Amino acid sequence: MTTSTQAASFAAGCTAFRGPLLHFLSEPGLGTPDPASYSYFTDGLLVVADGRVQAVGEAAELLPQLPAGTAVEHSPEGLILPGMIDTHVHMPQLAVMASYGTQLLEWLETYTFPTESRFADADWSAKQSKVFLDLLLAHGTTSALVFSTSHKVASEALFSAAHDYNMAITTGRVMMDCNAPDGVRDTAEASYEESRELIARWHGTGRQRYAVTPRFAATSTPEQLTYAGKLMTEAEGLLMQTHWAENKAEIAWIAELFPERASYLDVYDHFGLLGPRSVLAHGIHIDDADRARLAETGTRIAFCPTSNTFLGSGLFDLASARGADVEVGLASDVGGGTSLSMLVTMAEAYKVCQLRGQSLNPFQAFYMATLGNAKVLHQETETGNLAPGKMADFLIIDRAASPIQQLKHSAERNLSGILFDLMILGDDRSIRRTYIAGQCRYDRDAVQGAAHAGLSV
């Protein structure tokens, strides 16, 4: 579908970006993609002013309307896309990526908790927050729902860095007052009070939002989970994030810890932690009753395919979730996940679906990584596509970034083929530029040029 849309008039000082352009208007679906669900312009133009999209449409139609002297960046062999969104990722876990030989519970004890304990240090948290955001941008991710650690200073550092970058980040101080080692274990009262302080300081500051964040039911006492539910009633627009039904040993442990509850999902339900603003990561080993309750409450799942395969957790059933009207986001889950790239995440999601006897078409995959994930995180009025008035978070994609992509790249390739090549063969090399609110925050060619100059000195 190719429908030009624009604001009433162009602002002086606007900038424009020309090239093939794609964004989504609604969900394409897991079957044959709905052609009305997206707009694709083979020669499109994106007009940006004051950090927001002013117009998007056919270049031939919009170019003559631009004010004299408007800068136009032309990428005829690229692809202009909305910025990608990650619905579940861990800021402090970059260093535990590719840690060998364990499944979930041992992985937490052996790698994750010792690494997260370092974030009690404010200087370390500040440095790592910037590294994390820089890497998100280099991988084409412009906003995310993020786990911090159980240290208030770590959440402060991430919020502060994201605010400086003008990135839309939703995060929160992790709550975990039991079954965790010294250095990361907190208390129920401290987690509640410090979360309230962070909410007062950061929720709604610029593009920042707060997420109430119990790590998972096993690391919170009933008292702490009660506090988490209470926090959700105390401020408008909060999200809640946690982990759920990722690993069979985890599920058995929850049954031992909460024998009075009917199921793992019922634990969260009992403490008031289900609802349309709740995002549960994983949701692999679940049944129809779980899906029905998720749909009834509007609770969302974050599908984390690279993490689920790397940790041997299992294969998420995307078709059953969507068939039950459960909202599903796509997520990297770094550091259990093996790449911050949503392109790589799409590729692994495709493979998981294949092993389930299902198919993930590239239109649905790109929708999930953009507008779909924005809807999961309740930020679709600001991000997710390039509709006029939305924040100008977008990407310039290189469709031929690797030798094999160059081999397959051709002018005759149809849109489905272009997208499928990108989702299966693409990675961070495919991200040429990343823009936040109309400002270039990552330029691959400039970074590579600087690196080359440094090596040649």
Side-chain angles (χ1 to χ4, degrees), residues 227-450:
Y227 273 130
K230 182 172 167 35
L231 284 167
M232 290 298 293
T233 70
E234 293 182 347
E236 293 292 329
L238 297 173
L239 272 71
M240 195 287 298
Q241 59 177 342
T242 192
H243 299 86
W244 172 59
E246 178 179 1
N247 170 284
K248 290 181 178 179
E250 165 214 3
I251 294 168
W253 190 22
I254 299 299
E256 293 175 3
L257 293 171
F258 297 90
E260 72 284 2
R261 301 269 59 90
S263 69
Y264 194 165
L265 189 65
D266 187 48
V267 176
Y268 294 134
D269 205 352
H270 175 75
F271 291 102
L273 296 175
L274 300 187
R277 305 194 74 84
S278 297
V279 181
L280 310 184
H282 308 297
I284 300 170
H285 306 288
I286 64 176
D287 58 23
D288 288 342
D290 291 325
R291 295 184 190 96
R293 184 58 181 154
L294 293 173
E296 181 182 7
T297 58
T299 305
R300 290 95 200 279
I301 292 178
F303 172 23
C304 309
T306 71
S307 169
N308 297 159
T309 53
F310 178 72
L311 293 175
S313 299
L315 305 176
F316 178 69
D317 189 344
L318 178 60
S320 291
R322 291 302 297 124
D325 291 326
V326 177
E327 294 288 340
V328 179
L330 196 60
S332 71
D333 191 27
V334 163
T338 52
S339 175
L340 287 167
S341 170
M342 295 305 291
L343 295 173
V344 172
T345 302
M346 290 182 216
E348 199 74 1
Y350 176 83
K351 297 170 195 173
V352 167
C353 288
Q354 288 284 89
L355 290 168
R356 278 277 189 183
Q358 303 167 11
S359 182
L360 176 62
N361 71 68
F363 292 90
Q364 181 69 12
F366 275 86
Y367 164 81
M368 290 178 71
T370 56
L371 182 60
N373 277 357
K375 289 182 175 180
V376 166
L377 300 185
H378 295 274
Q379 60 185 62
E380 71 273 19
T381 60
E382 290 288 314
T383 66
N385 66 13
L386 300 174
K390 291 195 179 183
M391 299 299 293
D393 294 352
F394 64 96
L395 310 174
I396 307 295
I397 296 288
D398 183 350
R399 290 160 47 194
S402 68
I404 190 64
Q405 287 176 295
Q406 293 167 16
L407 181 67
K408 298 197 72 178
H409 181 61
S410 72
E412 293 76 31
R413 200 89 169 119
N414 63 23
L415 179 58
S416 180
I418 290 169
L419 296 181
F420 195 65
D421 286 349
L422 276 172
M423 74 179 267
I424 300 301
L425 303 174
D427 52 30
D428 57 302
R429 293 171 295 176
S430 302
I431 310 302
R432 177 172 286 156
R433 292 189 189 89
T434 303
Y435 290 80
I436 298 291
Q439 298 295 312
C440 184
R441 294 291 184 177
Y442 170 76
D443 185 327
R444 182 199 65 187
D445 299 337
V447 170
Q448 291 178 349

Side-chain angles (χ1 to χ4, degrees), residues 2-183:
T2 56
T3 302
S4 297
T5 53
Q6 67 181 76
S9 61
F10 292 124
C14 63
T15 55
F17 303 84
R18 182 180 182 183
L21 185 153
L22 171 71
H23 71 149
F24 290 88
L25 310 175
S26 60
E27 183 171 9
L30 292 175
T32 302
D34 178 1
S37 66
Y38 61 91
S39 286
Y40 176 56
F41 307 95
T42 56
D43 184 17
L45 194 74
L46 171 66
V47 184
V48 175
D50 298 323
R52 293 187 179 269
V53 175
Q54 193 167 28
V56 63
E58 298 286 358
E61 177 184 339
L62 296 177
L63 279 170
Q65 303 177 45
L66 293 176
T70 299
V72 180
E73 179 182 315
H74 196 190
S75 304
E77 297 299 313
L79 181 64
I80 302 170
L81 286 173
M84 296 189 193
I85 299 167
D86 195 337
T87 57
H88 181 69
V89 61
H90 292 256
M91 177 273 285
Q93 291 187 13
L94 297 175
V96 302
M97 290 176 68
S99 296
Y100 173 74
T102 64
Q103 292 198 346
L104 175 65
L105 299 181
E106 185 182 351
W107 183 82
L108 289 171
E109 292 289 343
T110 304
Y111 301 116
T112 304
F113 292 155
T115 299
E116 291 192 3
S117 67
R118 293 194 66 181
F119 286 79
D121 181 88
D123 288 341
W124 176 255
S125 294
K127 291 175 184 175
Q128 291 302 300
S129 292
K130 187 176 184 304
V131 168
F132 172 74
L133 295 178
D134 286 342
L135 284 171
L136 286 186
L137 294 168
H139 287 81
T141 297
T142 54
S143 62
L145 177 60
V146 185
F147 263 65
S148 180
T149 73
S150 54
H151 313 99
K152 183 184 176 186
V153 293
S155 294
E156 287 275 9
L158 181 55
F159 274 130
S160 180
H163 187 57
D164 288 346
Y165 283 30
N166 201 20
M167 287 180 73
I169 294 295
T170 306
T171 190
R173 177 206 185 284
V174 174
M175 306 171 77
M176 46 190 304
D177 67 339
C178 67
N179 297 316
D182 293 344

